[in-house]
Amino acid sequence: MTVRSDGLKAVWRRPGGRAGAAFLGFLVLLAWLGPLALPDPFRQFDLVELADAPPSADHPFGTDQLSRDVLSRVVSGARISLAVAALTVALSVTLGAAVGLVAGYWGGAVDAVIMRLVDGALAVPRLFLLLLVLALSDRVPLAVLIILMGATGWFATSRLVRAEVLRLRTEAFVQAAEALGASRRRVIFRHLLVNAAGPLLVAATLGVGDVILLEAGLSFLGLGVQPPTPSWGGMIMDGRPVLESAPWVGIFPGVAITLTVLATNLVGDALRDVLDPRSA
Amino acid sequence: MNRVLEVRDLRISFPGADGHRFHPVDGVTFDLIRGETLALVGESGSGKSLTSLALLRLIPPPGRIDAGSVIRLGETDVLALEGEALRRIRGRRIGMIFQDPMTSLNPVFTVGDQIAEGVRAHLPVSRSEARDRARALLQEVGIPDPAGRLKAYPHQLSGGMRQRVMIAIALAAEPEILVADEPTTALDVTVQAQILEVLDQLRRSRGMAVLLITHDLGIVAGRADRVAVMYAGQIVEEAPTAELFARPSHPYTQGLFASVPRITGPRTRLIPIGGTVPPPTAWPSGCRFRPRCPKAFAKSELAPELMPVGPDHRMRCWLAETGGTDG
């Protein structure tokens, strides 16, 4: 029985947290195992007979213009969206934690310079920054997309971690550790970072939803995940011209985005209630 | 004489609003002898906690220890140390326990982890050896079922237990000096006595010197060998405990005793000391107790030094010259 497992149980006890966690669990399983049981998402069944076919027993979510199975593509898109979101958030949380720790621990001029730069970066809309970079290059590989989104997503996290570190530095147990000869590295990683983990986890969870939306938006604009790789945003773009005649092409990926973002936000809010009593 | 710590003319300054630096600790001098308990007694704001932090160079910036101050640990000049050398005296030569055991332990690690961390910060032992030592230390500070408690998180322990754990951590690297800054203030009275007893046993069994920082004269009696009374950033009286209790000489010390209720003897009115402790930004000129002192006289306009009033008994008051401090 540890502090952490208590926290996870408390999330599960909240209706919102439970619904969100259950949906995300289901989605991860589906993204992992679903493709084994579903048709190949790239397969074009019959361009003449099955283009934009409505939902049927063979294709529960219908097919798109290229007669590909929409359910298969939504499930494969979940793989892409979840993986991209997880890697992006891992990168941005690492960067944000590192910068926040440095600024908060060293303070003074280091802190002032870093935080003014972060203030400046926060003043630039992330979407425009990404659009600018992506529009100037053609066909961005997935890895570069992840790095770009991660590298522009840590500013708020660094402020959060810095604030936590400033608070923790005055805690008696940090002073006690210093008084007993703990090295700087131990103080930073064991006493400051681990105790800032709660708010950091909340920010990371909520960040996953943001990144899924961001990636969908970029893909919708044709600047994110490149076709034919299935992505939810890209599928909505595919469905846009046929929204009236074949609404299932765009609606199902749209519902997937909405439910997934809603689920991550529910889990994030439940975590916040449990781990971060000050903002509850 | 087996001196383990020598503090000479310690001055600590902070920048004030007017640009001048003020001195919350202003010329503190004392020695600590192997195996003794020295109590540093004073009200909040007297500078006693800053004095203890200075021993480990833990004065929070922008505060600093002024040039001319001396802190010697045996042969080691503490004020000349930097970086890794400084880290190696913290916990290794001087162990420290703090006032509030509820917040002095890291909430997310087990007690065993935290004691082992203290061991491994200074001694070249393996993880499992550190764990064995942690168990032995818990036993030494009187925690029942030490093997089981190693796995406990701080929030699962009572205040008294946590303070015992803090003591175990402070002793992890076998320091020769233990600084206890108000170790029992946050605990209830019965637990206070137990913690003081644990400290006393450890002092005897390990031959440690203990610097006991407190505002409470009650816990000094019977625990400390010597007492130094601090007022306004200076030591104003210093004597063996029995001597101080028998013949408090400085008017401030006398005032402290007069304001403490006694269980035995005739009931008398408690007499508070008039006025309040001056802020460190505005120490009075001359004798710093002069504005509140019922015995102030013309010479109090000049700042007195510590002067002898008996064997090993000194005070910072001009009355020491005439010997007329009673009544």
Side-chain angles (χ1 to χ4, degrees):
Chain A
M1 182 73 80
T2 68
V3 177
R4 278 162 239 172
S5 70
D6 285 353
L8 293 181
K9 277 186 199 128
V11 169
W12 190 250
R13 274 198 297 274
R14 282 153 204 268
R18 183 181 300 198
F23 181 80
L24 287 182
F26 166 73
L27 192 68
V28 168
L29 270 180
L30 190 69
W32 180 31
L33 300 172
L36 300 175
L38 291 167
D40 179 354
F42 297 105
R43 179 169 163 203
Q44 301 175 359
F45 283 91
D46 186 335
L47 277 172
V48 180
E49 293 294 321
L50 270 176
D52 291 333
S56 64
D58 285 345
H59 305 287
F61 284 11
T63 61
D64 65 7
Q65 298 96 311
L66 299 174
S67 75
R68 295 174 299 195
D69 184 62
V70 173
L71 176 58
S72 285
R73 291 184 67 76
V74 168
V75 170
S76 295
R79 271 192 173 182
I80 301 289
S81 287
L82 291 179
V84 167
L87 290 171
T88 300
V89 167
L91 178 64
S92 63
V93 162
T94 307
L95 285 171
V99 172
L101 278 171
V102 167
Y105 184 82
W106 271 274
V110 176
D111 181 36
V113 170
I114 290 177
M115 282 302 125
R116 292 303 78 74
L117 290 175
V118 167
D119 285 344
L122 274 171
V124 180
R126 185 184 186 187
L127 189 59
F128 291 141
L129 199 67
L130 286 168
L131 284 177
L132 184 71
V133 177
L134 295 170
L136 292 176
S137 49
D138 44 57
R139 282 201 73 85
V140 179
L142 211 48
V144 174
L145 181 69
I146 289 168
I147 290 171
L148 282 174
M149 288 196 298
T152 53
W154 56 265
F155 310 125
T157 310
S158 73
R159 296 205 70 95
L160 176 83
V161 172
R162 170 182 172 270
E164 265 315 275
V165 169
L166 288 181
R167 180 182 70 78
L168 288 166
R169 283 219 68 176
T170 64
E171 290 277 332
F173 69 84
V174 175
Q175 292 175 336
E178 284 176 346
L180 294 168
S183 62
R184 178 176 286 176
R185 201 182 57 194
R186 280 193 94 71
V187 170
I188 290 177
F189 287 106
R190 227 176 123 87
H191 298 287
L192 298 178
L193 181 58
V194 174
N195 278 287
L200 199 55
L201 185 61
V202 173
T205 310
L206 295 172
V208 168
D210 286 348
V211 171
I212 288 175
L213 279 181
L214 182 66
E215 178 260 318
L218 290 172
S219 299
F220 178 78
L221 295 171
L223 296 167
V225 178
Q226 297 299 314
T229 307
S231 80
W232 292 342
M235 294 169 73
I236 295 177
M237 179 174 69
D238 292 343
R240 197 179 57 88
V242 293
L243 200 56
E244 282 178 34
S245 58
W248 51 86
V249 179
I251 282 177
F252 287 112
V255 170
I257 293 173
T258 308
L259 289 180
T260 308
V261 173
L262 179 65
T264 57
N265 285 350
L266 285 174
V267 173
D269 284 342
L271 274 173
R272 186 203 300 274
D273 290 349
V274 171
L275 297 177
D276 200 5
R278 282 163 302 144
S279 58
Chain B
M1 192 163 79
N2 211 338
R3 185 165 66 194
V4 289
L5 176 71
E6 176 185 1
V7 175
R8 291 285 171 276
D9 203 23
L10 176 66
R11 300 180 84 216
I12 300 169
S13 65
F14 281 80
D18 61 355
H20 291 95
R21 295 186 78 85
F22 62 94
H23 293 81
V25 173
D26 198 5
V28 165
T29 292
F30 64 91
D31 288 330
L32 200 53
I33 312 298
R34 183 179 306 283
E36 78 164 350
T37 298
L38 170 64
L40 208 52
V41 179
E43 294 172 79
S44 0
S46 61
K48 58 194 196 300
S49 285
L50 272 178
T51 300
S52 70
L53 289 174
L55 303 180
L56 288 172
R57 299 268 303 279
L58 287 169
I59 303 294
R64 64 164 186 244
I65 300 171
D66 285 9
S69 307
V70 175
I71 300 176
R72 254 177 220 291
L73 257 178
E75 296 302 307
T76 313
D77 179 358
V78 173
L79 298 181
L81 298 178
E82 282 306 328
E84 179 63 13
L86 189 56
R87 186 191 74 74
R88 264 185 274 135
I89 69 157
R90 293 177 179 164
R92 182 75 185 92
R93 307 285 301 275
I94 303 181
M96 194 149 188
I97 58 178
F98 294 92
Q99 178 167 348
D100 189 357
M102 306 316 252
T103 58
S104 298
L105 290 164
N106 189 332
V108 302
F109 291 106
T110 62
V111 160
D113 268 351
Q114 297 188 55
I115 304 175
E117 179 186 359
V119 174
R120 280 162 61 82
H122 297 289
L123 306 176
V125 299
S126 72
R127 220 168 266 278
S128 65
E129 279 177 89
R131 195 140 271 265
D132 290 344
R133 273 173 187 257
R135 189 177 333 106
L137 282 160
L138 282 186
Q139 181 124 38
E140 204 176 338
V141 296
I143 289 187
D145 182 24
R149 298 291 176 164
L150 285 178
K151 298 188 201 79
Y153 285 86
H155 73 274
Q156 296 169 320
L157 302 178
S158 67
M161 283 294 167
R162 287 190 220 187
Q163 194 59 295
R164 286 171 195 258
V165 170
M166 281 308 300
I167 296 171
I169 293 174
L171 295 180
E174 299 174 353
E176 63 229 46
I177 298 171
L178 183 67
V179 177
D181 187 357
E182 304 265 11
T184 61
T185 306
L187 304 173
D188 61 52
V189 181
T190 46
V191 180
Q192 281 189 7
Q194 294 167 8
I195 294 293
L196 291 169
E197 184 55 35
V198 168
L199 286 176
D200 219 34
Q201 275 173 14
L202 291 164
R203 175 184 63 78
R204 273 182 270 123
S205 64
R206 292 182 170 232
M208 276 186 319
V210 174
L211 182 63
L212 180 64
I213 313 245
T214 181
H215 67 275
D216 186 350
L217 277 169
I219 76 168
V220 165
R223 301 289 174 188
D225 301 295
R226 289 190 299 133
V227 180
V229 179
M230 281 191 78
Y231 182 80
Q234 299 175 326
I235 290 177
V236 293
E237 184 163 6
E238 188 187 345
T241 308
E243 162 79 9
L244 188 90
F245 277 69
R247 260 186 309 282
S249 301
H250 193 284
Y252 175 64
T253 317
Q254 291 172 346
L256 282 183
F257 278 104
S259 61
V260 175
R262 306 205 164 212
I263 295 176
T264 57
R267 294 179 112 196
T268 52
R269 282 190 76 82
L270 295 181
I271 306 160
I273 302 175
T276 53
V277 184
T281 44
W283 294 141
S285 63
C287 170
R288 291 182 182 178
F289 190 55
R290 179 175 50 122
R292 304 172 70 187
C293 182
K295 296 173 187 167
F297 61 115
K299 205 166 180 185
S300 303
E301 310 260 335
L302 305 171
E305 295 293 309
L306 275 172
M307 290 170 279
V309 282
D312 296 324
H313 189 167
R314 299 185 301 161
M315 71 167 169
R316 194 181 289 276
C317 175
W318 292 116
L319 291 173
E321 290 183 332
T322 58
T325 62
D326 296 329

